[in-house]
Every structure is written in structure tokens, then in C-alpha cells.
Amino acid sequence: MKQECPSVEEYYRSIESRIGYRFILGNARHCGLWKDGTLWPFPISTAQAAMREKLYARLRLSSGCRVLDAGAGSGRVAAFMAERGLHVQAIDIIPAHVEQAKKFVEARNVKDKVSVQVGDYHNLKGLESSSFDGIYTMETLVHADDPEKALREFRRLLRPNGVLVIHEADFHTDAVVLADIRRLAHCQRTPAEGGYETLLAEAGFHDVEVHDLTTMVLPLWRFFGILGAIPYAFMRLLGVQHHFVNTMAGVEAYRHWGNGRYVSIRAVKRA
């Protein structure tokens, strides 16, 4: 029987998600970045910091610039940007995430540079047009119900010559199991490979630069694939794998490695 598509909040609120993000990813809800050929993924936190550094470098913004963190999660990325001198408006659609982010930002002593609030990046009418130097998403645009609308909203909020950087995954396979995973993780509108570039152009962005980081995130997914293999086999035997989407995703993504990309995409709103 086909499982219903959960909301983003239901996905992140599940016990499996909370345990996995807390104890494996240190409550930082994004991949790490390793050197090509790395086998041993630990410490994962060091690689996650490298991914945040990659995102910051792609923005190419100077201290004092104002950025929007669209999907702030636990606030790790927002705090990182603030520590490098950026002023961050952080939003997340899930109230519990907003509270976590506020606490983390305060603990890192950057609350003077980070404002956190509940917000839906499809509709940010409360934010002034042309008021941000940069906008970024760290593995959050995949959850968009209408990515086209979200990108148009980002363009509205950017100043002339403002930059958008997205770190996301896309796929070039129609494998049923991966489609099930995207639906169960509320990522059903993830575009086909190359789709982000098309969507950005249609939204009016220019100077699109794509860095393919697929091989540099592999160590984490290899670890997930190995860690989850035996539990996943039992889940499938019992027919309950769809209730454990993160285990399912970890194993099947590794098994289908090469059927998708993890990319860092930079685009500009021209003057």
C-alpha cells in the first residue's frame, strides 16, 4: 500500500529523524564535505564544518552583508555565517526548529547578528524586497512544495547583484524506491538532474555556477549504507521499511549511488 506523503514537520518530528540527526549528525541537518577518496568519515562534525565553509565561500560576501538563511533548522549554519561577520535573518517553517536555533545562536554568542523566526520561504511578504545581499539554502529547498515560487521569492528579496547559493541534491533516475523516499521525506518536488539550473534561469537568475560535490559527500552515505544494511533487511522482511525513511534513504541512496548529484549552485540577480 502506498504511504501518504508526510508534512515537513511530520518528517522531522519522527523518532527516527530526531535520533538520527541528534546522535549521528550532531543536530546539524546537513551533509559533510570530505576530500575525494576518503573512506573513514569521522569526525562527521569536521566534515560538516567544511560544508558550511564551502557555502560561505560560495557566497563571496564581505563582513556586514545581510543574508537570509532559508530553512535554518537547528541554527548551525546561521551561527557559522554570523561568526564570519554576516548578519543573518534565519527562518524555518517548523516552530520547534526555530526554538532550537534561537538557543544555539545564543549559546554561540552571536544573537546580535542573527534573527530567527518562523517563516515559509514560499511566502515572505513580511520581508522587504531588495533587502538581502545573499540568500542560501542548505539541503532545504528539496522540501519545497513549489520550488519555482520559492526561487521567485528569493529573487524578489535580493538586492541587485545579490547572490543565491543552494546546496541540494537532484536525480536522473526514475527508480521507484528513490521516488518513494523523496515522497516520504517530503522531497517529492526535487527536480531531475539539471533541473535547478533550469528553474533558476526561469526565475530570472543569471551567471549560474555549478560545483558537483557528489564524490565529496560519499563517505557519509557509504557509512549510512553500511550502518543501516542489516536493520533495513529486517524492515523489508517485515514490510515496515516505509516507516523508517531515513534508514531506507541511507541504504538505497548508497545502493543507487551514481543516479543523482549533490551540488552547490551559485546564481546572481543582475542589476
Side-chain angles (χ1 to χ4, degrees), residues 198-262:
T198 300
L199 292 176
L200 285 164
E202 291 174 347
F205 285 92
H206 297 84
D207 305 324
V208 177
E209 301 174 4
V210 182
H211 287 185
D212 190 330
L213 308 178
T214 308
T215 60
M216 301 176 76
V217 302
L218 175 56
L220 183 63
W221 291 95
R222 182 190 295 115
F223 170 64
F224 286 157
I226 295 170
L227 179 68
I230 293 176
Y232 183 57
F234 280 103
M235 292 170 189
R236 293 189 64 188
L237 185 65
L238 297 172
V240 298
Q241 69 272 20
H242 292 91
H243 296 288
F244 300 90
V245 62
N246 290 325
T247 302
M248 186 179 176
V251 176
E252 293 291 357
Y254 184 50
R255 288 178 178 175
H256 289 82
W257 201 257
N259 287 299
R261 307 180 302 171
Y262 184 99

Short mmCIF file of all heavy atoms in Angstrom, two decimals, residues 198-262:
data_model
loop_
_atom_site.label_atom_id
_atom_site.label_comp_id
_atom_site.label_asym_id
_atom_site.label_seq_id
_atom_site.Cartn_x
_atom_site.Cartn_y
_atom_site.Cartn_z
N THR A 198 17.72 25.01 -14.64
CA THR A 198 16.58 25.47 -15.45
C THR A 198 15.65 26.35 -14.64
O THR A 198 15.22 27.42 -15.12
CB THR A 198 15.81 24.25 -16.00
OG1 THR A 198 16.68 23.46 -16.80
CG2 THR A 198 14.62 24.70 -16.83
N LEU A 199 15.34 25.93 -13.42
CA LEU A 199 14.44 26.71 -12.57
C LEU A 199 15.03 28.09 -12.25
O LEU A 199 14.29 29.09 -12.22
CB LEU A 199 14.16 25.95 -11.28
CG LEU A 199 13.32 24.67 -11.40
CD1 LEU A 199 13.21 23.98 -10.04
CD2 LEU A 199 11.95 24.96 -11.96
N LEU A 200 16.32 28.14 -12.01
CA LEU A 200 16.97 29.43 -11.72
C LEU A 200 16.87 30.37 -12.92
O LEU A 200 16.58 31.57 -12.76
CB LEU A 200 18.42 29.20 -11.33
CG LEU A 200 18.64 28.63 -9.93
CD1 LEU A 200 20.06 28.08 -9.79
CD2 LEU A 200 18.39 29.70 -8.86
N ALA A 201 17.11 29.85 -14.10
CA ALA A 201 17.01 30.68 -15.30
C ALA A 201 15.58 31.18 -15.49
O ALA A 201 15.36 32.36 -15.81
CB ALA A 201 17.48 29.89 -16.52
N GLU A 202 14.61 30.30 -15.27
CA GLU A 202 13.21 30.69 -15.43
C GLU A 202 12.79 31.72 -14.39
O GLU A 202 11.90 32.54 -14.65
CB GLU A 202 12.32 29.45 -15.34
CG GLU A 202 12.49 28.50 -16.53
CD GLU A 202 11.69 27.22 -16.36
OE1 GLU A 202 11.22 26.96 -15.23
OE2 GLU A 202 11.58 26.47 -17.35
N ALA A 203 13.43 31.69 -13.22
CA ALA A 203 13.11 32.66 -12.16
C ALA A 203 13.82 34.00 -12.37
O ALA A 203 13.59 34.94 -11.60
CB ALA A 203 13.48 32.09 -10.80
N GLY A 204 14.68 34.09 -13.38
CA GLY A 204 15.34 35.36 -13.70
C GLY A 204 16.74 35.51 -13.16
O GLY A 204 17.28 36.62 -13.15
N PHE A 205 17.36 34.40 -12.72
CA PHE A 205 18.74 34.46 -12.23
C PHE A 205 19.72 34.30 -13.39
O PHE A 205 19.40 33.73 -14.44
CB PHE A 205 18.99 33.38 -11.18
CG PHE A 205 18.37 33.67 -9.84
CD1 PHE A 205 17.10 33.21 -9.53
CD2 PHE A 205 19.07 34.42 -8.89
CE1 PHE A 205 16.52 33.48 -8.30
CE2 PHE A 205 18.50 34.69 -7.65
CZ PHE A 205 17.23 34.23 -7.36
N HIS A 206 20.94 34.80 -13.18
CA HIS A 206 21.98 34.74 -14.19
C HIS A 206 23.28 34.21 -13.57
O HIS A 206 23.36 34.01 -12.37
CB HIS A 206 22.22 36.12 -14.82
CG HIS A 206 21.04 36.65 -15.56
ND1 HIS A 206 20.01 37.32 -14.92
CD2 HIS A 206 20.71 36.61 -16.88
CE1 HIS A 206 19.10 37.67 -15.82
NE2 HIS A 206 19.50 37.26 -17.01
N ASP A 207 24.28 34.03 -14.43
CA ASP A 207 25.63 33.65 -14.00
C ASP A 207 25.61 32.42 -13.10
O ASP A 207 26.24 32.38 -12.04
CB ASP A 207 26.31 34.81 -13.27
CG ASP A 207 26.33 36.09 -14.10
OD1 ASP A 207 26.50 35.98 -15.33
OD2 ASP A 207 26.17 37.18 -13.52
N VAL A 208 24.89 31.40 -13.53
CA VAL A 208 24.73 30.19 -12.73
C VAL A 208 26.02 29.37 -12.78
O VAL A 208 26.53 29.05 -13.85
CB VAL A 208 23.55 29.35 -13.24
CG1 VAL A 208 23.44 28.05 -12.45
CG2 VAL A 208 22.25 30.14 -13.15
N GLU A 209 26.57 29.07 -11.60
CA GLU A 209 27.78 28.27 -11.48
C GLU A 209 27.47 27.02 -10.65
O GLU A 209 26.95 27.13 -9.54
CB GLU A 209 28.89 29.05 -10.77
CG GLU A 209 29.29 30.34 -11.45
CD GLU A 209 30.29 31.12 -10.62
OE1 GLU A 209 30.72 30.61 -9.55
OE2 GLU A 209 30.63 32.24 -11.01
N VAL A 210 27.79 25.84 -11.17
CA VAL A 210 27.51 24.58 -10.51
C VAL A 210 28.80 23.89 -10.11
O VAL A 210 29.68 23.67 -10.95
CB VAL A 210 26.68 23.65 -11.42
CG1 VAL A 210 26.36 22.34 -10.68
CG2 VAL A 210 25.40 24.33 -11.89
N HIS A 211 28.93 23.57 -8.83
CA HIS A 211 30.02 22.73 -8.35
C HIS A 211 29.42 21.38 -7.96
O HIS A 211 28.56 21.31 -7.07
CB HIS A 211 30.71 23.36 -7.13
CG HIS A 211 31.55 24.54 -7.46
ND1 HIS A 211 32.34 25.17 -6.51
CD2 HIS A 211 31.75 25.22 -8.62
CE1 HIS A 211 32.98 26.18 -7.08
NE2 HIS A 211 32.62 26.24 -8.36
N ASP A 212 29.85 20.33 -8.62
CA ASP A 212 29.36 18.99 -8.31
C ASP A 212 30.19 18.42 -7.16
O ASP A 212 31.38 18.17 -7.31
CB ASP A 212 29.47 18.11 -9.55
CG ASP A 212 28.75 16.77 -9.38
OD1 ASP A 212 28.67 16.28 -8.23
OD2 ASP A 212 28.28 16.22 -10.39
N LEU A 213 29.54 18.21 -6.02
CA LEU A 213 30.22 17.74 -4.81
C LEU A 213 29.88 16.28 -4.50
O LEU A 213 30.16 15.80 -3.40
CB LEU A 213 29.82 18.61 -3.61
CG LEU A 213 29.99 20.13 -3.78
CD1 LEU A 213 29.51 20.84 -2.52
CD2 LEU A 213 31.42 20.49 -4.10
N THR A 214 29.32 15.58 -5.47
CA THR A 214 28.81 14.23 -5.22
C THR A 214 29.85 13.30 -4.60
O THR A 214 29.57 12.61 -3.61
CB THR A 214 28.28 13.61 -6.53
OG1 THR A 214 27.36 14.53 -7.14
CG2 THR A 214 27.57 12.30 -6.25
N THR A 215 31.03 13.27 -5.17
CA THR A 215 32.06 12.36 -4.64
C THR A 215 32.55 12.79 -3.27
O THR A 215 33.08 11.97 -2.51
CB THR A 215 33.25 12.27 -5.60
OG1 THR A 215 33.83 13.58 -5.77
CG2 THR A 215 32.83 11.73 -6.96
N MET A 216 32.33 14.06 -2.92
CA MET A 216 32.84 14.59 -1.67
C MET A 216 31.85 14.41 -0.51
O MET A 216 32.19 14.68 0.64
CB MET A 216 33.21 16.06 -1.84
CG MET A 216 34.27 16.27 -2.93
SD MET A 216 34.65 18.02 -3.25
CE MET A 216 35.67 18.39 -1.82
N VAL A 217 30.62 13.97 -0.81
CA VAL A 217 29.68 13.64 0.26
C VAL A 217 29.51 12.13 0.40
O VAL A 217 28.84 11.65 1.32
CB VAL A 217 28.29 14.29 0.03
CG1 VAL A 217 28.41 15.79 -0.07
CG2 VAL A 217 27.59 13.72 -1.20
N LEU A 218 30.14 11.36 -0.48
CA LEU A 218 30.01 9.91 -0.48
C LEU A 218 30.36 9.25 0.85
O LEU A 218 29.68 8.30 1.26
CB LEU A 218 30.85 9.31 -1.61
CG LEU A 218 30.93 7.78 -1.69
CD1 LEU A 218 29.53 7.17 -1.80
CD2 LEU A 218 31.80 7.35 -2.87
N PRO A 219 31.41 9.68 1.57
CA PRO A 219 31.75 8.97 2.81
C PRO A 219 30.59 8.85 3.80
O PRO A 219 30.43 7.82 4.46
CB PRO A 219 32.90 9.81 3.39
CG PRO A 219 33.56 10.37 2.17
CD PRO A 219 32.43 10.70 1.23
N LEU A 220 29.78 9.89 3.90
CA LEU A 220 28.65 9.84 4.83
C LEU A 220 27.61 8.83 4.36
O LEU A 220 27.09 8.04 5.16
CB LEU A 220 28.01 11.22 4.98
CG LEU A 220 26.86 11.30 5.98
CD1 LEU A 220 27.33 10.98 7.39
CD2 LEU A 220 26.19 12.67 5.94
N TRP A 221 27.31 8.83 3.07
CA TRP A 221 26.29 7.93 2.56
C TRP A 221 26.77 6.49 2.52
O TRP A 221 25.98 5.56 2.67
CB TRP A 221 25.81 8.43 1.19
CG TRP A 221 25.05 9.70 1.38
CD1 TRP A 221 25.53 10.98 1.28
CD2 TRP A 221 23.69 9.82 1.81
NE1 TRP A 221 24.55 11.88 1.60
CE2 TRP A 221 23.41 11.21 1.93
CE3 TRP A 221 22.69 8.90 2.08
CZ2 TRP A 221 22.16 11.67 2.32
CZ3 TRP A 221 21.44 9.37 2.47
CH2 TRP A 221 21.19 10.73 2.59
N ARG A 222 28.07 6.29 2.34
CA ARG A 222 28.62 4.94 2.46
C ARG A 222 28.43 4.44 3.90
O ARG A 222 28.04 3.29 4.12
CB ARG A 222 30.10 4.94 2.09
CG ARG A 222 30.73 3.55 2.15
CD ARG A 222 32.24 3.61 2.02
NE ARG A 222 32.67 4.10 0.72
CZ ARG A 222 33.34 5.25 0.52
NH1 ARG A 222 33.65 6.02 1.57
NH2 ARG A 222 33.70 5.61 -0.68
N PHE A 223 28.69 5.32 4.86
CA PHE A 223 28.51 4.97 6.27
C PHE A 223 27.05 4.63 6.55
O PHE A 223 26.74 3.62 7.20
CB PHE A 223 28.98 6.13 7.15
CG PHE A 223 28.63 5.99 8.60
CD1 PHE A 223 29.16 4.97 9.37
CD2 PHE A 223 27.74 6.88 9.21
CE1 PHE A 223 28.84 4.84 10.72
CE2 PHE A 223 27.41 6.76 10.54
CZ PHE A 223 27.96 5.73 11.30
N PHE A 224 26.13 5.46 6.05
CA PHE A 224 24.70 5.18 6.24
C PHE A 224 24.32 3.84 5.60
O PHE A 224 23.55 3.06 6.18
CB PHE A 224 23.85 6.28 5.61
CG PHE A 224 23.83 7.58 6.36
CD1 PHE A 224 23.54 8.76 5.70
CD2 PHE A 224 24.09 7.62 7.71
CE1 PHE A 224 23.50 9.96 6.38
CE2 PHE A 224 24.06 8.82 8.41
CZ PHE A 224 23.77 10.00 7.74
N GLY A 225 24.85 3.60 4.41
CA GLY A 225 24.52 2.36 3.70
C GLY A 225 24.96 1.13 4.44
O GLY A 225 24.25 0.10 4.48
N ILE A 226 26.15 1.20 5.04
CA ILE A 226 26.67 0.05 5.79
C ILE A 226 25.96 -0.08 7.14
O ILE A 226 25.54 -1.17 7.54
CB ILE A 226 28.19 0.21 5.99
CG1 ILE A 226 28.90 0.14 4.63
CG2 ILE A 226 28.73 -0.87 6.93
CD1 ILE A 226 30.37 0.51 4.67
N LEU A 227 25.81 1.05 7.84
CA LEU A 227 25.17 1.04 9.17
C LEU A 227 23.74 0.52 9.11
O LEU A 227 23.29 -0.23 9.99
CB LEU A 227 25.18 2.45 9.76
CG LEU A 227 24.54 2.65 11.13
CD1 LEU A 227 25.35 1.94 12.20
CD2 LEU A 227 24.40 4.13 11.45
N GLY A 228 23.03 0.90 8.06
CA GLY A 228 21.61 0.56 8.00
C GLY A 228 21.29 -0.73 7.29
O GLY A 228 20.12 -1.15 7.25
N ALA A 229 22.29 -1.40 6.71
CA ALA A 229 22.02 -2.55 5.84
C ALA A 229 21.26 -3.67 6.55
O ALA A 229 20.25 -4.17 6.04
CB ALA A 229 23.34 -3.08 5.27
N ILE A 230 21.73 -4.09 7.72
CA ILE A 230 21.08 -5.20 8.42
C ILE A 230 19.71 -4.79 8.97
O ILE A 230 18.72 -5.52 8.75
CB ILE A 230 22.00 -5.76 9.53
CG1 ILE A 230 23.23 -6.42 8.89
CG2 ILE A 230 21.24 -6.76 10.40
CD1 ILE A 230 24.25 -6.93 9.89
N PRO A 231 19.59 -3.64 9.68
CA PRO A 231 18.25 -3.24 10.11
C PRO A 231 17.27 -3.10 8.95
O PRO A 231 16.11 -3.49 9.05
CB PRO A 231 18.50 -1.88 10.80
CG PRO A 231 19.92 -1.94 11.23
CD PRO A 231 20.63 -2.72 10.18
N TYR A 232 17.76 -2.57 7.84
CA TYR A 232 16.89 -2.38 6.68
C TYR A 232 16.41 -3.71 6.10
O TYR A 232 15.26 -3.85 5.67
CB TYR A 232 17.64 -1.57 5.62
CG TYR A 232 16.83 -1.23 4.39
CD1 TYR A 232 15.63 -0.53 4.50
CD2 TYR A 232 17.28 -1.58 3.12
CE1 TYR A 232 14.89 -0.21 3.36
CE2 TYR A 232 16.57 -1.26 1.98
CZ TYR A 232 15.36 -0.57 2.11
OH TYR A 232 14.64 -0.25 0.98
N ALA A 233 17.29 -4.71 6.12
CA ALA A 233 16.90 -6.04 5.63
C ALA A 233 15.75 -6.60 6.46
O ALA A 233 14.79 -7.18 5.91
CB ALA A 233 18.09 -6.98 5.66
N PHE A 234 15.81 -6.43 7.78
CA PHE A 234 14.73 -6.90 8.64
C PHE A 234 13.46 -6.08 8.43
O PHE A 234 12.35 -6.63 8.44
CB PHE A 234 15.16 -6.84 10.11
CG PHE A 234 16.02 -8.00 10.53
CD1 PHE A 234 17.39 -7.85 10.69
CD2 PHE A 234 15.46 -9.26 10.77
CE1 PHE A 234 18.19 -8.92 11.07
CE2 PHE A 234 16.24 -10.33 11.17
CZ PHE A 234 17.62 -10.16 11.31
N MET A 235 13.62 -4.75 8.22
CA MET A 235 12.46 -3.91 7.96
C MET A 235 11.73 -4.36 6.70
O MET A 235 10.50 -4.43 6.67
CB MET A 235 12.91 -2.44 7.81
CG MET A 235 13.41 -1.81 9.07
SD MET A 235 14.18 -0.20 8.73
CE MET A 235 14.91 0.18 10.32
N ARG A 236 12.49 -4.67 5.67
CA ARG A 236 11.89 -5.12 4.41
C ARG A 236 11.21 -6.48 4.59
O ARG A 236 10.15 -6.73 4.03
CB ARG A 236 12.94 -5.20 3.31
CG ARG A 236 13.50 -3.86 2.89
CD ARG A 236 14.37 -3.98 1.65
NE ARG A 236 13.58 -4.43 0.51
CZ ARG A 236 14.12 -4.77 -0.66
NH1 ARG A 236 15.44 -4.75 -0.83
NH2 ARG A 236 13.35 -5.15 -1.67
N LEU A 237 11.84 -7.34 5.37
CA LEU A 237 11.26 -8.66 5.63
C LEU A 237 9.90 -8.52 6.30
O LEU A 237 8.96 -9.28 6.00
CB LEU A 237 12.21 -9.47 6.51
CG LEU A 237 11.82 -10.93 6.79
CD1 LEU A 237 11.83 -11.74 5.49
CD2 LEU A 237 12.78 -11.55 7.81
N LEU A 238 9.80 -7.55 7.20
CA LEU A 238 8.55 -7.32 7.93
C LEU A 238 7.60 -6.38 7.18
O LEU A 238 6.46 -6.19 7.61
CB LEU A 238 8.85 -6.75 9.31
CG LEU A 238 9.65 -7.65 10.27
CD1 LEU A 238 10.05 -6.89 11.52
CD2 LEU A 238 8.83 -8.90 10.62
N GLY A 239 8.10 -5.78 6.10
CA GLY A 239 7.27 -4.88 5.31
C GLY A 239 7.03 -3.53 5.96
O GLY A 239 6.02 -2.87 5.69
N VAL A 240 7.95 -3.09 6.82
CA VAL A 240 7.75 -1.82 7.55
C VAL A 240 8.78 -0.77 7.17
O VAL A 240 8.89 0.26 7.83
CB VAL A 240 7.78 -2.06 9.07
CG1 VAL A 240 6.67 -2.99 9.50
CG2 VAL A 240 9.15 -2.60 9.51
N GLN A 241 9.52 -0.99 6.09
CA GLN A 241 10.62 -0.08 5.75
C GLN A 241 10.13 1.36 5.48
O GLN A 241 10.87 2.31 5.71
CB GLN A 241 11.41 -0.60 4.54
CG GLN A 241 10.68 -0.58 3.21
CD GLN A 241 9.87 -1.85 2.96
OE1 GLN A 241 9.55 -2.56 3.89
NE2 GLN A 241 9.56 -2.10 1.70
N HIS A 242 8.89 1.50 5.01
CA HIS A 242 8.39 2.84 4.71
C HIS A 242 8.16 3.68 5.97
O HIS A 242 7.97 4.89 5.87
CB HIS A 242 7.09 2.75 3.90
CG HIS A 242 7.29 2.22 2.52
ND1 HIS A 242 7.20 0.88 2.24
CD2 HIS A 242 7.60 2.85 1.36
CE1 HIS A 242 7.43 0.70 0.95
NE2 HIS A 242 7.69 1.87 0.39
N HIS A 243 8.19 3.04 7.12
CA HIS A 243 8.05 3.79 8.38
C HIS A 243 9.41 4.26 8.90
O HIS A 243 9.47 4.94 9.93
CB HIS A 243 7.37 2.91 9.44
CG HIS A 243 5.97 2.52 9.08
ND1 HIS A 243 4.92 3.42 9.11
CD2 HIS A 243 5.46 1.34 8.65
CE1 HIS A 243 3.81 2.80 8.74
NE2 HIS A 243 4.10 1.54 8.44
N PHE A 244 10.47 3.90 8.20
CA PHE A 244 11.83 4.27 8.62
C PHE A 244 12.56 4.88 7.42
O PHE A 244 13.51 4.31 6.90
CB PHE A 244 12.57 3.04 9.17
CG PHE A 244 11.91 2.42 10.36
CD1 PHE A 244 10.96 1.42 10.20
CD2 PHE A 244 12.21 2.85 11.65
CE1 PHE A 244 10.34 0.84 11.30
CE2 PHE A 244 11.60 2.29 12.75
CZ PHE A 244 10.66 1.28 12.59
N VAL A 245 12.08 6.05 7.02
CA VAL A 245 12.52 6.63 5.75
C VAL A 245 14.01 6.97 5.74
O VAL A 245 14.68 6.86 4.71
CB VAL A 245 11.67 7.87 5.39
CG1 VAL A 245 11.81 8.97 6.43
CG2 VAL A 245 12.03 8.39 4.01
N ASN A 246 14.58 7.37 6.88
CA ASN A 246 15.99 7.73 6.89
C ASN A 246 16.89 6.50 6.71
O ASN A 246 17.90 6.56 6.01
CB ASN A 246 16.35 8.47 8.18
CG ASN A 246 15.73 9.85 8.22
OD1 ASN A 246 15.61 10.51 7.20
ND2 ASN A 246 15.32 10.29 9.39
N THR A 247 16.52 5.40 7.35
CA THR A 247 17.26 4.15 7.14
C THR A 247 17.12 3.71 5.68
O THR A 247 18.11 3.34 5.03
CB THR A 247 16.73 3.05 8.06
OG1 THR A 247 16.85 3.48 9.43
CG2 THR A 247 17.52 1.76 7.88
N MET A 248 15.91 3.78 5.20
CA MET A 248 15.63 3.43 3.81
C MET A 248 16.44 4.29 2.86
O MET A 248 17.07 3.80 1.91
CB MET A 248 14.13 3.59 3.56
CG MET A 248 13.63 3.15 2.21
SD MET A 248 11.82 3.40 2.15
CE MET A 248 11.49 2.91 0.45
N ALA A 249 16.46 5.60 3.12
CA ALA A 249 17.19 6.53 2.26
C ALA A 249 18.69 6.27 2.29
O ALA A 249 19.36 6.29 1.26
CB ALA A 249 16.90 7.97 2.69
N GLY A 250 19.22 6.03 3.50
CA GLY A 250 20.65 5.81 3.63
C GLY A 250 21.12 4.60 2.85
O GLY A 250 22.14 4.65 2.13
N VAL A 251 20.39 3.51 2.95
CA VAL A 251 20.79 2.27 2.28
C VAL A 251 20.55 2.37 0.78
O VAL A 251 21.43 2.06 -0.03
CB VAL A 251 20.04 1.06 2.88
CG1 VAL A 251 20.39 -0.21 2.10
CG2 VAL A 251 20.40 0.89 4.35
N GLU A 252 19.35 2.81 0.39
CA GLU A 252 19.03 2.83 -1.03
C GLU A 252 19.80 3.90 -1.79
O GLU A 252 20.17 3.71 -2.96
CB GLU A 252 17.52 3.03 -1.22
CG GLU A 252 16.67 1.86 -0.73
CD GLU A 252 16.82 0.60 -1.58
OE1 GLU A 252 17.56 0.63 -2.59
OE2 GLU A 252 16.21 -0.42 -1.21
N ALA A 253 20.08 5.03 -1.16
CA ALA A 253 20.88 6.05 -1.83
C ALA A 253 22.28 5.53 -2.12
O ALA A 253 22.86 5.79 -3.20
CB ALA A 253 20.95 7.32 -0.99
N TYR A 254 22.84 4.78 -1.18
CA TYR A 254 24.17 4.21 -1.41
C TYR A 254 24.11 3.12 -2.48
O TYR A 254 24.99 3.03 -3.34
CB TYR A 254 24.72 3.66 -0.10
CG TYR A 254 26.14 3.13 -0.22
CD1 TYR A 254 27.14 3.91 -0.81
CD2 TYR A 254 26.47 1.86 0.23
CE1 TYR A 254 28.43 3.43 -0.93
CE2 TYR A 254 27.77 1.38 0.11
CZ TYR A 254 28.74 2.17 -0.48
OH TYR A 254 30.03 1.69 -0.61
N ARG A 255 23.07 2.31 -2.45
CA ARG A 255 22.93 1.27 -3.47
C ARG A 255 22.73 1.85 -4.86
O ARG A 255 23.14 1.26 -5.86
CB ARG A 255 21.73 0.36 -3.12
CG ARG A 255 21.97 -0.55 -1.93
CD ARG A 255 20.73 -1.38 -1.62
NE ARG A 255 20.97 -2.30 -0.51
CZ ARG A 255 20.03 -3.07 0.04
NH1 ARG A 255 18.79 -3.03 -0.44
NH2 ARG A 255 20.33 -3.88 1.05
N HIS A 256 22.10 3.00 -4.92
CA HIS A 256 21.84 3.65 -6.22
C HIS A 256 22.81 4.81 -6.47
O HIS A 256 22.51 5.72 -7.24
CB HIS A 256 20.40 4.18 -6.25
CG HIS A 256 19.36 3.09 -6.34
ND1 HIS A 256 18.92 2.39 -5.23
CD2 HIS A 256 18.69 2.57 -7.40
CE1 HIS A 256 18.01 1.51 -5.61
NE2 HIS A 256 17.85 1.59 -6.92
N TRP A 257 23.97 4.77 -5.82
CA TRP A 257 24.92 5.86 -5.98
C TRP A 257 25.27 6.02 -7.47
O TRP A 257 25.48 5.05 -8.18
CB TRP A 257 26.19 5.60 -5.17
CG TRP A 257 26.95 6.87 -4.91
CD1 TRP A 257 28.09 7.31 -5.53
CD2 TRP A 257 26.59 7.87 -3.97
NE1 TRP A 257 28.46 8.53 -5.03
CE2 TRP A 257 27.55 8.91 -4.07
CE3 TRP A 257 25.55 8.01 -3.05
CZ2 TRP A 257 27.51 10.06 -3.29
CZ3 TRP A 257 25.50 9.15 -2.27
CH2 TRP A 257 26.48 10.15 -2.39
N GLY A 258 25.31 7.24 -7.92
CA GLY A 258 25.55 7.49 -9.33
C GLY A 258 24.28 7.85 -10.07
O GLY A 258 24.33 8.28 -11.23
N ASN A 259 23.13 7.73 -9.40
CA ASN A 259 21.86 8.10 -10.01
C ASN A 259 21.40 9.50 -9.61
O ASN A 259 20.25 9.87 -9.85
CB ASN A 259 20.77 7.09 -9.61
CG ASN A 259 20.96 5.76 -10.32
OD1 ASN A 259 20.93 5.70 -11.55
ND2 ASN A 259 21.18 4.71 -9.55
N GLY A 260 22.29 10.24 -9.00
CA GLY A 260 21.94 11.60 -8.61
C GLY A 260 23.19 12.39 -8.31
O GLY A 260 24.31 11.88 -8.40
N ARG A 261 23.01 13.66 -7.97
CA ARG A 261 24.13 14.55 -7.68
C ARG A 261 23.87 15.27 -6.36
O ARG A 261 22.73 15.45 -5.94
CB ARG A 261 24.30 15.63 -8.75
CG ARG A 261 24.41 15.19 -10.16
CD ARG A 261 24.59 16.41 -11.09
NE ARG A 261 23.48 17.35 -10.96
CZ ARG A 261 23.45 18.56 -11.51
NH1 ARG A 261 24.48 19.00 -12.23
NH2 ARG A 261 22.41 19.36 -11.35
N TYR A 262 24.96 15.70 -5.74
CA TYR A 262 24.88 16.70 -4.67
C TYR A 262 25.64 17.90 -5.20
O TYR A 262 26.84 17.79 -5.53
CB TYR A 262 25.50 16.19 -3.38
CG TYR A 262 25.34 17.17 -2.22
CD1 TYR A 262 24.33 17.00 -1.28
CD2 TYR A 262 26.18 18.27 -2.09
CE1 TYR A 262 24.17 17.89 -0.23
CE2 TYR A 262 26.01 19.17 -1.05
CZ TYR A 262 25.03 18.98 -0.12
OH TYR A 262 24.86 19.86 0.91
#
